[in-house]
Amino acid sequence: AQSVTQLDSQVPVFEEAPVELRCNYSSSVSVYLFWYVQYPNQGLQLLLKYLSGSTLVKGINGFEAEFNKSQTSFHLRKPSVHISDTAEYFCAVSDLGNIGFQKLVFGTGTRLLVSP
Amino acid sequence: NAGVMQNPRHLVRRRGQEARLRCSPMKGHSHVYWYRQLPEEGLKFMVYLQKENIIDESGMPKERFSAEFPKEGPSILRIQQVVRGDSAAYFCASSRQGQLQETQYFGPGTRLLVL
């Protein structure tokens, strides 16, 4: 079974600074990888996903992530953050499941706190 | 252009009562997934349903929890005889065809508080 590790529970950063949110996964098979963002009291919104092809994936709101198969990582980056990026960020991997449907396995989340 | 709808958004129950959580998938979506988010934790898969069928319920507690997705109407997650440990945010997601590479679209969640 897959698992996802987000080592940083909280990442404080100043506005306009770059940020990297780390995500590592464990799996014995090929996987699909996702980053979701959750604003306070809201549902999850997809930022970006890796299915295949280029290992650098660009998403919404200026975020990007790089899939590194050898290090089993899928770190999320943004070169310059805004106050509005303050939210909880979840990395997820798709578990094939017995019949091939997308059963998402989530990490515990990283809270990004952007201050002026 | 409605997204995934969930109601109620907040639900307060006393121990021993029943909780019913509703989820209306996006238009054109016939696959529904329920996840639970306990405080300070990530989301955990509970159950996957298609219309009138439960496909995978491996994440559902064996007792007190049930889910359905009837031919007409929303998907329902039902928790009988709630206990304090059931307090959590319950999220529903939907997809069009249930394929591995599809995006799951999440609703705003129902926050259940058991007193």
Side-chain angles (χ1 to χ4, degrees):
Chain A
Q2 281 94 345
S3 67
V4 176
T5 302
Q6 292 182 251
L7 286 173
D8 305 307
S9 60
Q10 191 164 291
V11 173
V13 64
F14 289 108
E15 194 175 18
E16 296 184 6
V19 70
E20 177 180 86
L21 306 183
R22 295 182 293 170
C23 172
N24 288 87
Y25 68 93
S26 67
S27 175
S28 58
V29 298
S30 296
V31 295
Y32 296 147
L33 293 155
F34 306 79
W35 274 100
Y36 281 86
V37 60
Q38 183 182 28
Y39 298 103
N41 295 315
Q42 294 187 27
L44 279 69
Q45 179 183 3
L46 181 70
L47 276 177
L48 48 79
K49 62 182 177 181
Y50 171 77
L51 303 181
S52 65
S54 173
T55 57
L56 183 63
V57 182
K58 293 192 183 295
I60 62 171
N61 301 341
F63 284 93
E64 63 180 33
E66 184 152 21
F67 170 55
N68 188 319
K69 188 174 182 179
S70 62
Q71 297 189 3
T72 59
S73 68
F74 190 54
H75 300 332
L76 182 71
R77 302 185 184 100
K78 186 169 182 177
S80 176
V81 295
H82 301 293
I83 297 283
S84 59
D85 292 324
T86 294
E88 189 92 18
Y89 291 79
F90 290 97
C91 181
V93 62
S94 65
D95 187 326
L96 184 64
N98 292 331
I99 56 167
F101 72 92
Q102 190 190 102
K103 182 194 294 185
L104 291 172
V105 176
F106 285 86
T108 51
T110 296
R111 189 161 298 169
L112 177 63
L113 296 170
V114 183
S115 52
Chain B
N1 181 21
V4 178
M5 310 283 284
Q6 288 188 251
N7 67 81
R9 294 290 305 274
H10 299 273
L11 184 61
V12 180
R13 285 286 178 266
R14 297 191 180 280
R15 282 178 296 169
Q17 291 184 320
E18 179 179 285
R20 278 179 178 252
L21 288 61
R22 295 175 189 78
C23 169
S24 296
M26 284 181 69
K27 188 176 180 180
H29 288 194
S30 57
H31 298 254
V32 166
Y33 315 78
W34 284 93
Y35 294 84
R36 178 166 66 174
Q37 184 182 27
L38 293 169
E40 307 301 320
E41 293 188 17
L43 283 73
K44 297 283 196 296
F45 168 81
M46 298 181 75
V47 61
Y48 165 47
L49 310 101
Q50 295 176 24
K51 286 280 188 182
E52 299 184 279
N53 286 303
I54 296 174
I55 306 302
D56 186 313
E57 55 181 348
S58 58
M60 288 267 276
K62 294 290 185 281
E63 296 178 351
R64 301 187 298 107
F65 284 72
S66 62
E68 62 176 9
F69 190 15
K71 187 177 180 181
E72 301 291 337
S75 174
I76 306 285
L77 179 67
R78 182 183 177 203
I79 310 172
Q80 295 178 289
Q81 299 177 319
V82 296
V83 301
R84 288 213 172 109
D86 297 333
S87 294
Y90 292 83
F91 290 97
C92 165
S94 74
S95 68
R96 186 178 297 274
Q97 296 177 322
Q99 293 180 350
L100 196 60
Q101 68 273 27
E102 277 188 291
T103 295
Q104 290 184 20
Y105 293 87
F106 283 79
T110 293
R111 281 151 181 86
L112 172 65
L113 176 62
V114 180
L115 301 176

